Amino acid sequence: MKVTKAIGMASASLALSVALASAAGAATWRYAFEEALDEVQGKFAQKFKEEVEANSDHTIQLFPYGTLGESADIMEQAQAGILQFVDQSPGFTGSLIPEAQVFFVPYLLPQDQESLNKFFSNSKAINEMFPELYAEQGLELLTMFPEGEVVMTTKEPVKAPGDLNEVKFRVMTNPLLVESYKAFGATPTPLPWGEVYGGLQTNIIQGQENPMFFVESTKMYEVTDYITFTGHNNFTTAVMANKDFYDGLSEEDQKVIEDATDVAFEYILDYQEGLTEEALEKIKEAKPSMTVTRLSEEERQPFMDAADDVEQQFLEMTGDSGKKILDQMKADLEAATSG
Ligand code: 6CS
């Protein structure tokens, strides 16, 4: 057979299979997230993809951190409908959905995993109130989940707020997080993730915060010397779909997405068991000189006192709507931690 004829036949059969696929409604959906494939958001995304593909004819194309830009870029792409799914943490959602800054009221979330998991599973604020706020921005909130206790990594030891004096401390681009670090005595420096390693290396910044798995996987320990557990927060992230896209799906497809989200949510909570400790072990092996400190209750108190009025600032930034969310979060947390 002549090559041109063979190519002609191959493209005709490709066109036919594409036509058949679209007749059956099979589509490729794009999903971007803020971390690498083997980090927590990537593990969630892979499980979600696996479930969607096992239970429908659709395909999910994954875009890990960096392939489509920074967090702010992928959110814009999701709102514009270029992406069908996005994982963006409230740390970057502050100006879009100011109420999402509630996740940065220091010492609001518990650190014990069981209470935290219960809270994220059952919270009315997360499962009923936040979806309405995200919907106003053209987003269908699918889920929120925790990624681990946030630790500070710095070049000098941190035992008290005074130790952060004149420390340029990188935070995500979130106004309330900026206020928290001001209250802690630091000079908060909001930066996109891509500038953090280089910023520490060149001493433009001298500290940053993140969960332990991320400190290890992104090698933050190479450019800082102290890890401090202050207990002030647990990293939260959010997965959403473009709302027009989601609303345009059949009920059957919406159910596939809902079920895949539920499976991936349970999976990611299990996956993270012991992850902080594993990351610590790896860091100690890679850099034995790294100093790791867990502040005692007494040592945490000055941080708690310093952060006292951050909650008030949250209320000033968000008004009635923020107050309703905060009150509901507190009620949900009470339910999750009592018995
Ligand atoms: O600090 C950050 O910017 C990043 N931290 C985590 C744990 N995930 C993504 C985010 O970009």
Side-chain angles (χ1 to χ4, degrees):
M1 193 191 309
K2 272 197 168 154
V3 175
T4 44
K5 194 173 172 197
I7 292 173
M9 281 171 70
S11 48
S13 92
L14 181 66
L16 182 67
S17 56
V18 169
L20 285 176
S22 19
T28 298
W29 294 334
R30 291 179 286 272
Y31 177 150
F33 46 98
E34 305 170 310
E35 295 172 8
L37 262 183
D38 59 358
E39 292 170 341
V40 173
Q41 291 182 17
K43 290 282 180 187
F44 180 99
Q46 288 190 73
K47 181 54 85 181
F48 179 84
K49 172 182 163 75
E50 194 182 304
E51 287 295 309
V52 168
E53 292 180 353
N55 294 296
S56 74
D57 292 333
H58 305 306
T59 307
I60 304 266
Q61 194 178 1
L62 296 178
F63 294 93
Y65 171 76
T67 52
L68 296 176
E70 288 285 352
S71 290
D73 303 312
I74 57 175
M75 180 57 118
E76 270 177 29
Q77 292 156 15
Q79 284 185 295
I82 299 165
L83 293 171
Q84 283 69 43
F85 299 98
V86 69
D87 186 328
Q88 192 196 49
S89 305
F92 294 106
T93 319
S95 42
L96 195 65
I97 304 170
E99 293 87 343
Q101 297 179 103
V102 74
F103 293 100
F104 297 95
V105 171
Y107 296 101
L108 182 64
L109 294 180
Q111 296 305 346
D112 102 86
Q113 208 53 45
E114 207 186 317
S115 310
L116 204 59
N117 292 358
K118 251 202 212 164
F119 166 71
F120 276 87
S121 303
N122 305 324
S123 164
K124 187 175 168 203
I126 290 180
N127 298 305
E128 292 175 32
M129 294 169 82
F130 269 118
E132 287 178 16
L133 297 170
Y134 278 75
E136 286 168 17
Q137 302 304 327
L139 299 160
E140 176 76 27
L141 180 64
L142 299 177
T143 191
M144 287 183 171
F145 59 86
E147 292 195 47
E149 177 171 349
V150 166
V151 298
M152 297 182 185
T153 70
T154 49
K155 295 187 181 229
E156 299 293 334
V158 177
K159 281 286 205 169
D163 296 330
L164 290 171
N165 189 21
E166 299 201 347
V167 172
K168 289 201 196 77
F169 201 102
R170 180 270 176 172
V171 291
M172 290 181 281
T173 52
N174 179 300
L176 198 72
L177 196 47
V178 168
E179 293 309 321
S180 300
Y181 272 88
K182 264 190 210 160
F184 289 161
T187 305
T189 311
L191 288 174
W193 174 247
E195 292 177 37
V196 182
Y197 190 98
L200 286 164
Q201 200 171 30
T202 53
N203 208 33
I204 287 168
I205 48 172
Q206 297 87 37
Q208 67 90 37
E209 60 155 44
N210 254 308
M212 276 306 304
F213 84 87
F214 205 62
V215 171
E216 191 278 322
S217 59
T218 60
K219 304 205 182 306
M220 282 298 108
Y221 59 86
E222 289 178 352
V223 282
T224 47
D225 298 309
Y226 296 85
I227 292 175
T228 311
F229 286 76
T230 47
H232 69 286
N233 205 6
N234 201 290
F235 193 97
T236 298
T237 199
V239 180
M240 56 223 111
N242 171 283
K243 188 150 175 56
D244 287 341
F245 152 76
Y246 187 84
D247 289 346
L249 293 174
S250 64
E251 274 181 26
E252 192 189 333
D253 279 345
Q254 287 184 353
K255 176 90 172 69
V256 167
I257 291 172
E258 221 177 274
D259 291 347
T261 303
D262 290 347
V263 172
F265 176 84
E266 291 302 331
Y267 163 81
I268 209 62
L269 297 186
D270 285 353
Y271 171 77
Q272 290 183 75
E273 265 181 45
L275 201 59
T276 292
E277 293 70 23
E278 272 171 43
L280 255 178
E281 283 311 308
K282 285 186 194 163
I283 291 175
K284 278 187 203 153
E285 215 170 284
K287 183 172 171 177
S289 64
M290 196 80 192
T291 305
V292 181
T293 310
R294 282 177 197 274
L295 298 190
S296 66
E297 285 300 317
E298 261 184 332
E299 289 167 330
R300 286 176 186 197
Q301 197 56 50
F303 285 95
M304 290 182 173
D305 295 344
D308 244 1
D309 69 353
V310 178
E311 182 173 314
Q312 193 50 39
Q313 295 183 49
F314 168 74
L315 294 173
E316 279 162 26
M317 285 177 189
T318 56
D320 268 4
S321 165
K323 178 159 175 26
K324 277 189 199 141
I325 289 270
L326 180 64
D327 289 348
Q328 187 60 51
M329 291 262 296
K330 285 184 176 172
D332 296 344
L333 284 162
E334 176 64 31
T337 46
S338 64

